[in-house]
Amino acid sequence: MTENLQLNSDGKLKHFLTIEGLDKALLTEILDTAESFAGMSEQQVKKVPLLRGKTIVNLFFENSTRTRTTFELAAIRLSADVINMNIATSATSKGESLLDTIRNLEAMFVDMFVVRHATSGAAHFIAQHTAPHVSVINAGDGQHSHPTQAMLDMFTIRQIKKEFAPLRVAIIGDILHSRVARSQILALNTLGAAEIRVIAPKTLLPAHVETLGVNVFHNLTEGLKDIDVVIMLRLQKERMTSALLPSESEYFKCFGLTPSKLKIAKPDAIVMHPGPINRGVEIDTRVADGPQSVILQQVSNGIAVRMAVMSMAMQARGNG
Amino acid sequence: MNNTPLHISALLSTLEDSLIETISERKLSNPLMIGIRTGGVWIAEHLHQRLNFEEPLGLLDISFYRDDFSQIGVHPNVKPSQLPTTIEGRDIILVDDVFYTGRTIRAALNEIFDYGRPNQVVLAVLIERDGRQIPLKPDCYGARISLQANQRIKLTGPEPLSIYIQSMNEAA
């Protein structure tokens, strides 16, 4: 169902809700298109008229700095008009239902919704109910999916490592609550990475995680051996209170990425993090700011990848 | 399918002569040559060499400025345009392979003007064919050609650069 909803009758990307159901060719097309836009950032004029006259609404029901800003910049650089809906002060907080909010915005002739919501499946729900000419991009839904983050991570990996086939990738930290990790695992498997490892304490791993096509490690030192790409996840502070972990310092001791731990991985391994980073909780400052860190490159690439997804979706609509 | 080759070197020579004349008529000073990807760049490289221009050739990729985006979309692997640091006040020679509807030139001018306000722009094309759809025309050309509905001009390159008229079979 999901795959049909995301693609139009010509197999083009109309909504971008999840990596699930998208094949290697389509993911590669997103990366190649993003490559075109990445060159633009070095131009004097960082703007093209592709989506001129289109209206995009950033619908963020959950806080975000990086994602919302880069979606907004991506839309602006494509010459679209962007509205940022501050949901905390909007009608939703007065009791309006999600569907009513969408219907009202549609009545204002919106072309695209970029949605972040704390509930898994929210973007999917909107895509199912929205008018046929409207595209929906998922900017993170609950613990389900964050496809543009995964694609900007894939873009960054490809930029540096060129190919996925020989790569061993380790994803470290709170896999259980991470929509980013889920999307990354799907994308890495689709793009054909040699091995994906998840490294986390048992309490921060979903049940049957190995069915996602990953190898499971509970020990950072063992898990980092022969690794090309290290992806750190943010440890959400609220998890401490829910008794999943003893303490921050205990966590850092076992799973924090320090310069000496990083030495276990391959010498040319890169370190990634979707942000926001908790220095001294999951990652040592010396690693976060070190020569192997590509964390800020990920942020820059976020703009190009979001431009790619937005322009592809705007082109595919109408052939629903 | 039937291909009728055209004489590329004769076309380039005619275009070169016509361009030299235009440069003097329009009093272009220190002109900057810009080729439109992909075919226009190939033609521009030849003209650039023939005219001994010192300043490197500018390269323009108009993919993001096309007016048919909603029909055909963005092609992956668009290369960024490479223009010199300033367009402001410059005399520009814009080069393309075939002038047909005029839409490519519209897109190219829009992109150039996003970078600054040139003093003059002169358009040089290897072939001007019929089918103009907007009020733009080349200033210099290697040849003017009228084509049948089943014919089109094909350029292959960059080395060897060759050009021919392709005629599709009516039945196809």
Side-chain angles (χ1 to χ4, degrees):
Chain A
M1 186 175 77
T2 303
E3 53 192 301
N4 292 341
L5 185 63
Q6 289 196 95
L7 304 178
N8 71 5
S9 52
D10 301 330
K12 298 279 184 193
L13 192 74
K14 190 196 174 198
H15 303 293
F16 193 37
L17 309 173
T18 168
I19 303 289
E20 206 176 345
L22 302 182
D23 62 11
K24 188 176 179 179
L26 202 123
L27 297 190
T28 306
E29 189 189 341
I30 294 175
L31 297 178
D32 290 348
T33 308
E35 196 77 58
S36 309
F37 290 119
M40 257 181 63
S41 308
E42 285 136 44
Q43 302 274 340
Q44 298 169 60
V45 181
K46 298 174 178 57
K47 192 164 174 138
V48 291
L50 273 184
L51 298 189
R52 197 175 41 185
K54 300 284 186 287
T55 305
I56 298 178
V57 173
N58 269 338
L59 212 51
F60 277 63
F61 296 89
E62 216 185 47
N63 287 336
S64 160
T65 314
R66 240 167 315 274
T67 304
R68 211 213 66 196
T69 311
T70 48
F71 262 114
E72 188 175 352
L73 266 177
I76 288 170
R77 291 192 179 171
L78 291 167
S79 304
D81 298 309
V82 201
I83 306 288
N84 288 306
M85 290 280 293
N86 190 349
I87 303 301
T89 60
S90 75
T92 309
S93 61
K94 297 178 192 162
E96 186 176 77
S97 79
L98 177 59
L99 210 49
D100 281 332
T101 303
I102 297 299
R103 292 265 178 272
N104 277 277
L105 288 166
E106 268 173 17
M108 300 173 202
F109 304 101
V110 164
D111 297 289
M112 177 183 283
F113 291 117
V114 175
V115 183
R116 166 166 289 193
H117 203 287
T119 310
S120 298
H124 193 270
F125 174 81
I126 293 171
Q128 272 176 321
H129 292 91
T130 194
H133 68 276
V134 177
S135 281
V136 179
I137 311 282
N138 185 1
D141 62 328
Q143 295 168 15
H144 173 238
S145 171
H146 194 352
T148 59
Q149 176 70 45
M151 289 314 290
L152 75 88
D153 295 334
M154 298 308 115
F155 186 84
T156 308
I157 293 171
R158 194 178 78 162
Q159 212 171 37
I160 299 161
K161 299 292 183 186
K162 311 298 173 207
E163 277 183 283
F164 289 96
L167 296 184
R168 295 181 195 283
V169 182
I171 306 175
I172 301 158
D174 185 359
I175 313 286
L176 178 63
H177 300 97
S178 176
R179 55 193 173 209
V180 176
R182 269 179 192 66
S183 296
Q184 285 167 337
I185 292 167
L186 281 165
L188 285 165
N189 273 324
T190 307
L191 291 166
E195 188 191 357
I196 308 163
R197 297 179 192 169
V198 293
I199 311 175
K202 286 196 176 92
T203 48
L204 293 181
L205 283 171
H208 312 298
V209 64
E210 56 295 331
T211 58
L212 297 173
V214 297
N215 294 326
V216 181
F217 289 79
H218 303 299
N219 181 305
L220 188 57
T221 311
E222 285 169 23
L224 279 174
K225 202 170 174 300
D226 300 324
I227 284 295
D228 300 281
V229 178
V230 184
I231 301 177
M232 302 305 298
L233 297 174
R234 182 173 73 95
L235 187 74
Q236 300 173 15
K237 303 232 177 187
E238 54 275 25
R239 307 300 165 213
M240 287 315 157
T241 53
S242 59
L244 290 173
L245 288 171
S247 73
E248 275 183 16
S249 61
E250 186 77 3
Y251 181 83
F252 185 71
K253 222 169 86 190
C254 298
F255 294 97
L257 190 64
T258 58
S260 62
K261 293 269 174 58
L262 182 56
K263 283 210 181 88
I264 301 163
K266 284 194 185 163
D268 63 347
I270 54 169
V271 177
M272 304 174 70
H273 194 304
I277 61 175
N278 289 322
R279 291 170 187 267
V281 178
E282 69 264 357
I283 189 164
D284 190 299
T285 283
R286 288 166 296 173
V287 174
D289 303 333
Q292 286 167 272
S293 165
V294 295
I295 296 172
L296 292 176
Q297 200 170 330
Q298 287 174 270
V299 178
S300 304
N301 289 338
I303 300 172
V305 166
R306 286 167 179 137
M307 287 173 80
V309 170
M310 284 173 155
S311 57
M312 286 169 72
M314 276 291 104
Q315 193 246 325
R317 76 205 190 116
N319 303 334
Chain B
M1 207 154 56
N2 179 16
N3 292 334
T4 313
L6 300 171
H7 289 286
I8 185 79
S9 56
L11 288 168
L12 280 168
S13 296
T14 311
L15 176 58
E16 181 191 351
D17 293 345
S18 160
L19 183 56
I20 290 168
E21 209 172 298
T22 307
I23 291 172
S24 119
E25 261 173 34
R26 298 267 294 259
K27 300 185 173 59
L28 299 191
S29 104
N30 182 31
L32 163 69
M33 190 175 279
I34 299 176
I36 301 174
R37 280 199 175 100
T38 320
V41 171
W42 298 340
I43 306 300
E45 277 165 353
H46 282 268
L47 289 174
H48 193 262
Q49 203 178 2
R50 283 169 179 241
L51 297 172
N52 289 317
F53 280 11
E54 281 177 13
E55 191 177 1
L57 188 65
L59 310 176
L60 206 58
D61 196 311
I62 56 124
S63 304
F64 295 139
Y65 285 76
R66 297 177 63 107
D67 59 7
D68 51 3
F69 163 71
S70 58
Q71 289 127 51
I72 64 164
V74 178
H75 290 290
N77 299 319
V78 175
K79 296 191 193 75
S81 296
Q82 291 167 27
L83 295 176
T85 45
T86 181
I87 290 288
E88 199 68 32
R90 294 295 306 267
D91 287 345
I92 290 172
I93 301 168
L94 183 61
V95 181
D96 205 1
D97 48 357
V98 179
F99 183 96
Y100 178 19
T101 62
R103 289 175 192 271
T104 301
I105 304 307
R106 197 280 310 165
L109 289 174
N110 274 21
E111 179 156 3
I112 289 171
F113 278 74
D114 273 356
Y115 283 80
R117 181 181 184 274
N119 181 46
Q120 298 194 56
V121 182
V122 161
L123 175 60
V125 299
L126 194 64
I127 307 265
E128 181 186 359
R129 62 155 293 184
D130 52 341
R132 209 153 60 96
Q133 292 175 343
I134 49 178
L136 288 173
K137 303 171 75 93
D139 299 287
C140 328
Y141 48 83
R144 269 179 149 155
I145 296 178
S146 289
L147 295 180
Q148 309 290 325
N150 66 330
Q151 293 180 315
R152 60 179 182 158
I153 292 167
K154 280 290 280 185
L155 186 75
T156 58
E159 290 300 334
L161 189 62
S162 58
I163 190 164
Y164 50 91
I165 298 175
Q166 197 174 57
S167 306
M168 264 70 74
N169 296 333
E170 300 287 353

